[in-house]
Structures are given as structure tokens and as C-alpha cells.
Amino acid sequence: MRRRVGAALAAALLLAGCSDGGDGKKAAPPPTANGGATSVPMPDADKIDWGRCPEGGNFECGTLSVPVDYADADGPKVDIALLRKKATGDDRIGALVVNPGGPGGSGISFARYAASAFPKDVRERYDIVGFDPRGVGRSAPVKCLSDTEMDAYTQIDQTPDTPDEENAAVDGAAGFGKSCQENTDQLLGHVSTAEAARDMDQIREALGDDRLNYLGASYGTFLGATYAELFPDKVGRFVLDGAIDPSQNAATANRVQGGGFETALVAYVDDCLAGGSCFLGADREAALARIRGLLATLDANPIPGDAKRQVNEPIATTGILSPLYSRDQWPELTRALQSAFRGDGGPLLDLSDMYYERGADGRYANLMYANAAVNCLDSPPAATTPDQVKAQVAEFEATSPTFGRALAWAGLTCGTWPLSATGRPHEIKAAGAAPILVVGTTRDPATPYTWSQALASQLESGHLLTYDGDGHTAYLRGSTCVDSAVDSYLLTGSPPPDNKTCN
């Protein structure tokens, strides 16, 4: 479950008005001034036709046809792929639509997970429904680089030290966007979060629910909040876990997220030191210096990763960031760092591949392609030229000495994107919506806790639940207190007391 940081560095470490989208057509209208929007009537023939899933199992799969461009409801359509696991009990509340984040994460895969991982009481009373948002997975996926080209793209230096390296970074980012434009049809200009939120309302209507019940994690919180802004009267029970602050511009969001990963790295180092005889050093500063020194060394002298690829600084950076999402993966980070210090980059490469969703066969999922496509439509870029990046570097490094410089340069992905942004940063109030539960983790690396505080305060019906802990998102991460509060809200509609904190 991820959001953004920039596309060349994990396509933005996975993150998030009416204007020309760059293809000569208008994008979906932005939220109206009062936050409301109207549903687009759909013919009966376009309802979901459920059937058996290709992979089998006790699930139903189907598609729902929706407009590519909501400003042209009678124009071309795109099929949204869905998966459902029906409620196992008789006292059904309705459907619970889920989204794992990204943007670019598969809601179908997340629903399969949720159908067994969510508590029994929740599964008894809700149909669990997941969908791949437009441009993602099975829903007309955005297509960009070939697998071989993607391998090369992930190795582009994101901390350029020379004019040639700067040119390579700019050319790489621009080439990435150009490939997406060449290999994806007109949908590339219509994969914004606002349009995905409108799709969710079509899904709600097709499911036969008067209100949408929803659980979104990471970027999924932005998708959910956007839905609440567009359709406040259709909000049912909403859980937004690991929230995005929709009011921040791209540069601020990337910089603050860098600080979140720095906080997580410090927590990892402190945990290592607390165990005694930490392999990184005798104290925090020494340990951090050794990790930063490794990255600097790999910038100049990559080490072997597998039979065809080396591990350089950008691969190692992604390999370090990846396990910071979950405390459970810290042992993997330890093994990878220890191997790298011995000259073996294989474990770091494996962690990087996991993050990029690169399979053992060398094939990439479309996660990173969809991630960039959505992010670059949702908000104007953090920087459009190397000079603008250089002006931001000092502030980025002050927030994140380890990752800041790379994250500043990663902003060029959207800065060179071939289509103009159709969204703008703004506060989301969702006036008139039912109570919305926002869950924030104090040491969340990818969606810093301040973002959950911000979203909960912006939403007129927002209620903040705090998890004092490590890792990305909180629900089903081991806190009985968090899980009980979320489950109770989903089952009764009553949020926990304001500003409740769990350990």
C-alpha cells in the first residue's frame, strides 16, 4: 500500500478543475464549489454481470462499463473489473468496497486478501468488493515501457552529480512519459482520482446500495475523500487508513513523505541498537552514516545483483525504502544491508523488485505506470526543470538527509509528463457526509501522521483514530485496539471517541 514520491524513484514511491488534459478533450469536471456532484445515469444493460472468476475460488467476478470521459457520457466506455465475496451471514449491511492504495494497486487482489483476513464479524455482514481502478490491472491498464526498458529505467541515477547525469535523468523521465502516451490510448488523460471516484459511484449504484461503504488505505484514502467530496450524501461507513493530505502541493507532499521515511529509518536503526551489537555502528549517527555511506559508494561503484543487473544507488535506495513500510520486514532489511556490505547486492535487488512488482520472470505489473499516470493528472508537478529541482534540494535534504536529494529529482517524472494536470491541491470538507473514520500511524513512513491529522481536521465529519506505532497503515497490523475500533465502526456506524489513541 503506497503513494507517491516521484516516478523514477519507484514511480513516486507510490502516491496523489476543468482543463485540457493534453489530448484535446476536457477531463472530468472538478468537484463543484459546494462539494456536490450528480451521478451519471447508466443504462440497465451496463450493470454488473457477475460470473465465475478465471482463477476459481469462492468469488464472483464481473465488469461495469463506464464513460472514459464523464463530460461525454455517451462517448467511449471503459470496462472496470470487479471481484466480490458475498457476506457469509444473514444480517447483511451491504457491500464494503476496498482499495489498497498506490495509485496503481489492484483492488481485486486486495479484496481477495480481505475476504479471508478481515474479521469474521465484518465478513458475515458485508459483501467484500474490490475493483481495479481505470488504468490499473484488469481495467484497461496503462502501458508504458517494455520490461527490458523498465529494467534500465530503474537504474537511472536519481542523484545526478554531472551535467551528463542530469541530462540522463531528464531524458529518462521524459522518455517514460512519452512511452505511456504512445502505448496507452485516450484513457491516459482520464485516469484521475476524481474520475475513479465517479466510477465508484457507478459501482455503488450497480451494487444496489443507497450509500457507499468503503475502506481505503494509503492513496485509497485520497480516493475515498474525493468520493466524499463529490457525493457527500452517498457516504456510508468510511474508513480512511494512512491518510493523504489533499491540500499539499506535490513538492511539499514529496518532501514531507521523505521525512516520513527518514523517521522510519531512524526507528529501524534504533531498534537495531536496542538489540545490542548492532552491525551498523555504536550509535544512531554512526549507523545512519554507514547506510548513507553505502548509498554513496554504490553511486560510484555498483555491486552485482543478479546475472544481468547490478545494484547501484537508485536500486539500493528503493531496496531500503521497501521494507520500511512494515516493521515485520525489518529483518529482511538487515539481511540485505549485511549482504551489500559484503559486496552482494542480490537481497537489495530482491527488495527493489518486490517494490516495483517485478516478477521472477522479469515481467513488471503495471503498478508503476498507473501510479505515474494518476499522480501526474491529480496535481501540478513539483518541478519541471533541473534548475527548479536544484532549488529544492537543500530543503528536501534538511527533511530527509538519506533520501531527500533523490526524492527531489524524482519530481521530474510529472514535470516532463506529456499531459497537463487536471486536479489541484485543495482541502476536502465533504460537508453533509456521515461520520468518516481517519486512522493515522505516528511513525508511518509513506503517509506521515501529520497527513491523517490534516485530513481528519478538514473533513467536517472526520474522526481521528491514532495508532502510536511503526509501519504503513494501522488496521490489521497487530493492534487489537485499532482493529476493535475500526470493526465497531463498520458494524455499528459509530466512530470511536474523538482523538482516541491506541498502542
Side-chain angles (χ1 to χ4, degrees):
M1 290 175 279
R2 310 166 173 130
R3 203 224 173 209
R4 82 147 137 226
V5 174
L9 185 64
L13 275 189
L14 301 198
L15 257 159
C18 222
S19 65
D20 189 284
D23 57 2
K25 294 192 175 185
K26 286 186 176 180
T32 58
N34 63 4
T38 57
S39 298
V40 177
M42 300 291 287
D44 290 340
D46 287 330
K47 300 305 181 186
I48 304 167
D49 183 17
W50 295 106
R52 290 183 59 83
C53 293
E55 304 87 351
N58 193 21
F59 298 94
E60 296 174 295
C61 286
T63 59
L64 178 66
S65 182
V66 300
V68 168
D69 183 353
Y70 276 96
D72 182 18
D74 294 326
K77 299 291 193 293
V78 59
D79 288 338
I80 304 300
L82 301 102
L83 176 143
R84 176 173 67 179
K85 177 66 167 64
K86 286 188 175 180
T88 58
D90 296 328
D91 190 14
R92 178 181 176 276
I93 294 173
L96 178 63
V97 176
V98 298
N99 181 278
S106 169
I108 287 178
S109 296
F110 189 44
R112 284 184 176 275
Y113 157 80
S116 59
F118 279 18
K120 180 181 178 182
D121 288 350
V122 173
R123 291 183 281 115
E124 285 180 340
R125 303 196 62 193
Y126 282 101
D127 298 343
I128 305 297
V129 176
F131 72 103
D132 284 354
R134 52 174 60 207
V136 174
R138 300 179 184 177
S139 299
V142 171
K143 298 177 182 179
C144 300
L145 301 172
S146 69
D147 295 326
T148 300
E149 291 169 336
M150 188 63 178
D151 276 345
Y153 178 70
T154 62
Q155 302 244 356
I156 293 175
D157 192 342
Q158 286 295 294
T159 58
D161 305 306
T162 67
D164 285 346
E165 289 181 349
E166 289 180 11
N167 291 336
V170 174
D171 291 346
F176 181 91
K178 183 180 179 181
S179 74
C180 298
Q181 188 176 39
E182 291 175 345
N183 294 304
T184 304
D185 61 18
Q186 63 176 321
L187 185 66
L188 188 67
H190 296 284
V191 293
S192 70
T193 297
E195 289 160 310
R198 291 175 182 273
D199 294 343
M200 283 210 299
D201 199 56
Q202 299 300 324
I203 291 170
R204 174 201 60 77
E205 185 178 344
L207 291 171
D209 286 349
D210 292 333
R211 291 174 179 262
L212 178 71
N213 302 303
Y214 176 78
L215 187 148
S218 193
Y219 159 81
T221 67
F222 182 41
L223 177 58
T226 300
Y227 179 92
E229 180 179 38
L230 289 167
F231 308 101
D233 60 324
K234 301 299 183 183
V235 170
R237 299 170 190 179
F238 264 47
V239 178
L240 307 180
D241 185 9
I244 304 301
D245 177 0
S247 70
Q248 289 190 327
N249 63 34
T252 301
N254 292 351
R255 178 178 56 79
V256 172
Q257 192 183 48
F261 278 100
E262 195 74 28
T263 296
L265 182 65
V266 169
Y268 161 76
V269 164
D270 287 348
D271 183 71
C272 181
L273 294 169
S277 301
C278 178
F279 72 102
L280 290 169
D283 55 44
R284 178 190 290 178
E285 289 308 313
L288 291 172
R290 192 173 188 208
I291 293 173
R292 294 166 190 161
L294 173 66
L295 293 175
T297 298
L298 294 176
D299 187 27
N301 299 294
I303 57 178
D306 61 16
K308 296 182 179 180
R309 295 177 294 161
Q310 291 188 313
V311 171
N312 58 3
E313 183 184 18
I315 291 292
T317 300
T318 305
I320 292 171
L321 288 166
S322 180
L324 292 179
Y325 276 85
S326 172
R327 188 183 181 97
D328 291 342
Q329 289 189 315
W330 287 2
E332 297 296 325
L333 177 55
T334 295
R335 285 190 282 273
L337 288 173
Q338 289 174 331
S339 294
F341 288 133
R342 295 193 300 266
D344 175 13
L348 274 178
L349 183 60
D350 289 342
L351 290 172
S352 176
D353 284 349
M354 179 180 68
Y355 191 91
Y356 280 109
E357 292 197 356
R358 182 188 191 272
D361 59 0
R363 296 181 180 179
Y364 287 84
N366 96 303
L367 171 68
M368 293 300 168
Y369 309 140
N371 182 268
V374 175
N375 282 330
C376 295
L377 285 182
D378 277 353
S379 182
T384 59
T385 67
D387 285 343
Q388 290 178 353
V389 172
K390 292 174 188 177
Q392 297 172 353
V393 165
E395 191 174 11
F396 270 68
E397 288 185 324
T399 303
S400 176
T402 308
F403 308 116
R405 189 156 178 254
L407 300 185
W409 279 95
L412 282 178
T413 300
C414 289
T416 58
W417 196 251
L419 304 179
S420 299
T422 56
R424 295 292 184 273
H426 63 285
E427 291 191 355
I428 291 181
K429 300 183 182 298
I436 295 174
L437 180 59
V438 179
V439 187
T441 300
T442 56
R443 293 180 294 282
D444 189 317
T447 52
Y449 178 62
T450 55
W451 289 356
S452 292
Q453 290 177 303
L455 181 59
S457 66
Q458 290 171 32
L459 292 167
E460 289 193 2
S461 60
H463 295 261
L464 179 63
L465 172 64
T466 298
Y467 172 49
D468 185 6
D470 298 290
H472 184 36
T473 71
Y475 184 53
L476 302 182
R477 290 286 189 173
S479 170
T480 302
C481 174
V482 169
D483 295 351
S484 296
V486 171
D487 294 344
S488 177
Y489 167 73
L490 287 174
L491 296 171
T492 68
S494 298
D498 285 338
N499 299 315
K500 178 181 176 64
T501 298
C502 293
N503 297 308

Short mmCIF file of all heavy atoms in Angstrom, two decimals, residues 42 75 104 107 191 205 218 239 261 374 386 417 424 481 497 500:
data_model
loop_
_atom_site.label_atom_id
_atom_site.label_comp_id
_atom_site.label_asym_id
_atom_site.label_seq_id
_atom_site.Cartn_x
_atom_site.Cartn_y
_atom_site.Cartn_z
N MET A 42 -26.86 5.51 -15.84
CA MET A 42 -26.31 4.44 -16.67
C MET A 42 -27.45 3.53 -17.12
O MET A 42 -28.33 3.20 -16.34
CB MET A 42 -25.29 3.64 -15.87
CG MET A 42 -24.13 4.46 -15.35
SD MET A 42 -23.03 5.01 -16.66
CE MET A 42 -22.23 3.46 -17.06
N GLY A 75 -20.08 8.83 -24.97
CA GLY A 75 -18.92 8.53 -25.78
C GLY A 75 -18.30 7.18 -25.44
O GLY A 75 -18.98 6.29 -24.91
N GLY A 104 -2.44 2.63 -8.29
CA GLY A 104 -1.95 1.54 -9.11
C GLY A 104 -2.12 0.18 -8.47
O GLY A 104 -1.93 -0.84 -9.12
N GLY A 107 -7.38 -3.44 -6.56
CA GLY A 107 -8.44 -3.67 -5.60
C GLY A 107 -8.97 -5.08 -5.64
O GLY A 107 -9.49 -5.59 -4.65
N VAL A 191 -7.48 9.11 -16.16
CA VAL A 191 -7.28 8.16 -15.06
C VAL A 191 -7.11 8.90 -13.74
O VAL A 191 -6.51 8.39 -12.80
CB VAL A 191 -6.06 7.24 -15.31
CG1 VAL A 191 -6.32 6.31 -16.48
CG2 VAL A 191 -4.78 8.04 -15.52
N GLU A 205 -24.09 2.29 -7.32
CA GLU A 205 -25.43 2.19 -7.89
C GLU A 205 -25.67 0.80 -8.46
O GLU A 205 -26.75 0.21 -8.28
CB GLU A 205 -25.59 3.25 -8.97
CG GLU A 205 -26.98 3.31 -9.56
CD GLU A 205 -27.13 4.41 -10.59
OE1 GLU A 205 -26.26 5.30 -10.65
OE2 GLU A 205 -28.11 4.35 -11.36
N SER A 218 -3.85 4.22 2.45
CA SER A 218 -2.83 5.00 1.76
C SER A 218 -3.47 5.90 0.71
O SER A 218 -4.36 6.69 1.02
CB SER A 218 -1.78 4.05 1.17
OG SER A 218 -0.63 4.73 0.77
N VAL A 239 -13.76 4.19 6.17
CA VAL A 239 -12.51 4.08 6.92
C VAL A 239 -11.38 4.49 5.98
O VAL A 239 -11.19 3.89 4.93
CB VAL A 239 -12.27 2.64 7.42
CG1 VAL A 239 -10.93 2.55 8.16
CG2 VAL A 239 -13.40 2.20 8.34
N PHE A 261 9.87 8.70 5.69
CA PHE A 261 10.78 7.57 5.52
C PHE A 261 12.04 7.74 6.36
O PHE A 261 12.60 6.75 6.84
CB PHE A 261 11.13 7.41 4.03
CG PHE A 261 10.09 6.67 3.27
CD1 PHE A 261 9.17 7.35 2.49
CD2 PHE A 261 10.00 5.30 3.34
CE1 PHE A 261 8.18 6.67 1.79
CE2 PHE A 261 9.03 4.60 2.63
CZ PHE A 261 8.11 5.30 1.86
N VAL A 374 -1.71 8.53 -12.81
CA VAL A 374 -2.70 9.13 -11.91
C VAL A 374 -2.10 10.34 -11.19
O VAL A 374 -2.71 11.42 -11.14
CB VAL A 374 -3.20 8.09 -10.88
CG1 VAL A 374 -4.13 8.74 -9.87
CG2 VAL A 374 -3.90 6.93 -11.59
N PRO A 386 15.67 20.99 -14.28
CA PRO A 386 16.74 20.70 -13.32
C PRO A 386 17.02 21.87 -12.38
O PRO A 386 17.30 21.66 -11.19
CB PRO A 386 17.94 20.39 -14.22
CG PRO A 386 17.33 19.87 -15.47
CD PRO A 386 16.09 20.67 -15.67
N TRP A 417 5.84 15.11 -17.83
CA TRP A 417 4.70 14.29 -18.28
C TRP A 417 4.04 14.94 -19.50
O TRP A 417 3.92 16.17 -19.56
CB TRP A 417 3.69 14.15 -17.15
CG TRP A 417 2.69 13.05 -17.36
CD1 TRP A 417 1.36 13.18 -17.63
CD2 TRP A 417 2.95 11.64 -17.31
NE1 TRP A 417 0.77 11.95 -17.75
CE2 TRP A 417 1.73 10.98 -17.56
CE3 TRP A 417 4.09 10.88 -17.07
CZ2 TRP A 417 1.61 9.60 -17.58
CZ3 TRP A 417 3.98 9.50 -17.10
CH2 TRP A 417 2.75 8.87 -17.35
N ARG A 424 -6.02 19.92 -8.67
CA ARG A 424 -5.26 20.90 -7.92
C ARG A 424 -5.34 20.57 -6.43
O ARG A 424 -6.36 20.05 -5.96
CB ARG A 424 -5.83 22.32 -8.13
CG ARG A 424 -5.72 22.85 -9.56
CD ARG A 424 -4.28 23.10 -9.96
NE ARG A 424 -4.16 23.70 -11.30
CZ ARG A 424 -4.10 23.01 -12.41
NH1 ARG A 424 -4.19 21.67 -12.37
NH2 ARG A 424 -3.97 23.59 -13.58
N CYS A 481 -6.51 -2.80 19.73
CA CYS A 481 -7.24 -1.55 19.99
C CYS A 481 -7.71 -0.92 18.68
O CYS A 481 -8.88 -0.54 18.54
CB CYS A 481 -6.33 -0.60 20.77
SG CYS A 481 -7.00 1.06 21.02
N PRO A 497 -14.33 7.48 20.21
CA PRO A 497 -14.24 8.84 20.75
C PRO A 497 -13.21 9.65 19.99
O PRO A 497 -12.18 9.11 19.54
CB PRO A 497 -13.83 8.60 22.21
CG PRO A 497 -14.27 7.22 22.52
CD PRO A 497 -14.13 6.45 21.25
N LYS A 500 -8.98 9.33 19.90
CA LYS A 500 -8.60 8.12 20.60
C LYS A 500 -7.23 7.66 20.12
O LYS A 500 -6.95 7.68 18.93
CB LYS A 500 -9.63 7.03 20.36
CG LYS A 500 -9.31 5.67 21.01
CD LYS A 500 -10.38 4.65 20.69
CE LYS A 500 -10.05 3.27 21.25
NZ LYS A 500 -10.00 3.28 22.72
#
